Amino acid sequence: MDIRIVSTQPFPDQKPGTSGLRKSVPIFQTPHYLENFVQSIFDTIGNPAGQTLVLGGDGRYYNREAIQIILKMAAANGFARVKVGYGGILSTPATSCVIRKYKTVGGIILSASHNPGGPTGDFGVKFNTDNGGPAPEKVTEAIYARSKEIREYKILDAADIDLDHLGESRLGNTVIEVIDSVQDYAALLETLFDFDRIQQLLSRSDFRMCFDAMHAVTGPYAHALLERRLGAPAGTVHNGTPLPDFGGSHPDPNLVYAHDLVEILFGENAPAFGAASDGDGDRNMILGNHFFVTPSDSLAILAANATLVPGYRDGLAGVARSMPTSQAVDRVAAKLGLDCYETPTGWKFFGNLMDAGKVTLCGEESFGTGSNHVREKDGLWAVLFWLNILAVRQQSVADIVREHWQTYGRNYYSRHDYEGIDSDRANTLITNLRAKVGHLAGQSLGRYQVEYADDFSYTDPIDGSVSTQQGVRLGFSDGSRMVFRLSGTGTQGATLRLYLESYEPDPHKQDRDPQVALADLIAIADEVAQIRSLTGMDKPTVIT
Ligand code: VG1
Ligand code: CO
């Protein structure tokens, strides 16, 4: 065996963000950059002897090259086996599924999720631990600490592995197993949903659906599940071939970046149901005929209807949402007598709650929903969950959502993103807010009375770990809220996210445009945070 020990210098910037390490492709192509980070992960895992690693990515530019490097490093580090996705493809939820099913030590997912790809786009490395979930903060901190002192890494001198044939081969003493990217995951979803009933729905002449894979990882999964297994007509899946640059767009399933799908669902002769997923397949957007379901409402509706779905027939242990996500699901939990947890942004905070059996469903406002079937958010899972509900209730998406509002009230919700802000200005804005919040409680802002104002801090109820400075939030006496935080997934400048929410119990007032319903709060947010003057931008770059 030709193990090479390569001397290297640490890079100072390998601190994982909300979800993995994300940098531009040219940075990842800098000699030793990827290798240093991967060796830091392996050193943190400890003793790889006898262990299995799962490896795959979303197919973006540099995916295949990075996989070859990581396979040779895994072999040089002494892993017994690596399960790698066919063609280098594994979605984030599928990776989580494979880690859990085969009880492996963890997995590496090559993805920058919703960030654009291509030679000058973004690349990323996420590490998931043996429960199948994103590494918790204590692990990402350890990886980062290791990356700051690393002096060498190990790699095997060997030929590339053929990723386009299923089956086993060897790199040194390590077995490399190219696995079907879809099979294990599809088999798991089949245990949760009523596939027969969904199949009947999809065969009805008056029900058409359309799924936009955005040229990202879910193409092969959606073709296999929706068209081949569940019988949706060929052509139901749009943009189903993963491309290294996602066809030049953001693989981000929201009203702005999934505009082709939005045009179809809001056009003439629109289908009954539409959905899209992101780069690595963990997010989802749900649309009805001329209707958009906010991700926060989607979580609440899945929770309220869970017992209609075989995998959740016996009810939920509890639910959880990230702090900026609307409180719609809290109302469902209250009515059903379920515990409801509020965590910081990022899926890594849900893992402990799920492992401890405290929650079954989790969600984020950023188009992420999931359950304890894996330890990731899961785009196609959410699509099948909705299809299962539609098949049972035989109502339109819009009717289901409106009925939900009548029962629970409507949480008007919107997120305003200000992208590409100068980092210093963004930090000033947040620093100013932090200084201000201590004095805001009890004050009136317009017609709103501030009930509490703080910088969100979370104590994990299972392991007691504390995460501070997770977003400045203002809560008002009528239940309205606003939250300010900086994105932890961007690679250029800073992105300010402003989250806005107000509650409307009156069914006659539930059909307003959210931007109109939230207009006063939007104005107050600008006044409190001086967004326009500090960013120099007069409106957000993305509104969802
Ligand atoms: C964003 C979202 C967050 C999500 C994260 C990863 O983070 O707001 O809810 O968990 O992306 O999503 P931020 O720090 O930019 O707000 V993904 O689909 O990477 O894995
Ligand atoms: Co993603």
Side-chain angles (χ1 to χ4, degrees), residues 18-19 22 113-114 126 278 280 282-283 345-347 364-366 377 415 485-489 497 499:
T18 312
S19 176
R22 293 186 194 186
S113 190
H114 54 288
K126 306 193 196 187
D278 72 330
D280 59 331
D282 55 0
R283 299 185 183 202
T345 294
W347 211 261
E364 294 191 280
E365 49 64 41
S366 54
K377 51 192 186 284
R415 184 175 103 183
R485 63 179 281 280
L486 299 183
S487 157
T489 57
R497 304 204 195 283
Y499 310 81

Side-chain angles (χ1 to χ4, degrees), residues 206-258:
D206 60 342
F207 186 92
R208 273 185 306 121
M209 75 164 282
C210 168
F211 179 86
D212 192 342
M214 302 189 84
H215 287 305
V217 82
T218 40
Y221 296 86
H223 279 301
L225 277 161
L226 297 173
E227 293 180 356
R228 290 200 291 277
R229 176 64 183 84
L230 290 164
T236 297
V237 177
H238 293 204
N239 304 318
T241 308
L243 297 177
D245 68 347
F246 307 119
S249 49
H250 286 241
D252 199 353
N254 62 36
L255 293 174
V256 176
Y257 294 124

Side-chain angles (χ1 to χ4, degrees), residues 214-475:
M214 302 189 84
H215 287 305
V217 82
T218 40
Y221 296 86
H223 279 301
L225 277 161
L226 297 173
E227 293 180 356
R228 290 200 291 277
R229 176 64 183 84
L230 290 164
T236 297
V237 177
H238 293 204
N239 304 318
T241 308
L243 297 177
D245 68 347
F246 307 119
S249 49
H250 286 241
D252 199 353
N254 62 36
L255 293 174
V256 176
Y257 294 124
H259 48 83
D260 291 352
L261 180 75
V262 174
E263 266 171 38
I264 294 170
L265 269 292
F266 283 81
E268 266 177 56
N269 195 19
F273 183 68
S277 196
D278 72 330
D280 59 331
D282 55 0
R283 299 185 183 202
N284 71 91
M285 175 169 71
I286 301 294
L287 300 172
N289 186 321
H290 290 81
F291 199 88
F292 165 61
V293 186
T294 71
S296 298
D297 279 348
S298 180
L299 172 64
I301 289 162
L302 300 189
N305 290 279
T307 52
L308 302 179
V309 174
Y312 307 91
R313 184 175 288 138
D314 298 334
L316 308 174
V319 292
R321 61 164 172 83
S322 67
M323 181 273 283
T325 303
S326 99
Q327 299 162 104
V329 74
D330 303 34
R331 297 189 176 271
V332 175
K335 187 156 185 170
L336 299 180
L338 300 172
D339 286 337
C340 180
Y341 296 83
E342 184 177 45
T343 59
T345 294
W347 211 261
K348 59 187 168 216
F349 296 101
F350 294 133
N352 275 352
L353 295 169
M354 288 193 273
D355 286 350
K358 302 241 178 241
V359 302
T360 311
L361 296 191
C362 306
E364 294 191 280
E365 49 64 41
S366 54
F367 299 84
T369 21
S371 88
N372 60 353
H373 68 293
V374 288
R375 291 293 179 274
E376 282 282 1
K377 51 192 186 284
D378 189 345
L380 270 166
W381 168 89
V383 172
L384 293 180
F385 207 127
W386 265 96
L387 285 171
N388 201 145
I389 293 172
L390 292 171
V392 174
R393 289 190 48 172
Q394 304 279 329
Q395 286 172 289
S396 71
V397 171
D399 285 349
I400 289 175
V401 177
R402 290 205 174 96
E403 259 186 36
H404 185 91
W405 292 340
Q406 278 168 21
T407 309
Y408 295 96
R410 176 172 183 185
N411 290 69
Y412 279 107
Y413 189 82
S414 184
R415 184 175 103 183
H416 290 192
D417 292 334
Y418 294 80
E419 298 169 313
I421 315 172
D422 171 72
S423 296
D424 290 340
R425 282 170 175 248
N427 287 327
T428 304
L429 187 148
I430 294 292
T431 310
N432 290 353
L433 274 174
R434 284 188 182 133
K436 225 175 183 175
V437 283
H439 319 289
L440 283 176
Q443 284 194 25
S444 296
L445 295 173
R447 63 188 167 90
Y448 293 92
Q449 179 90 22
V450 182
E451 201 168 83
Y452 62 86
D454 61 9
D455 193 347
F456 182 58
S457 169
Y458 177 66
T459 304
D460 186 294
I462 311 302
D463 66 14
S465 58
V466 178
S467 304
T468 58
Q469 303 202 317
Q470 297 296 319
V472 172
R473 53 181 193 167
L474 272 65

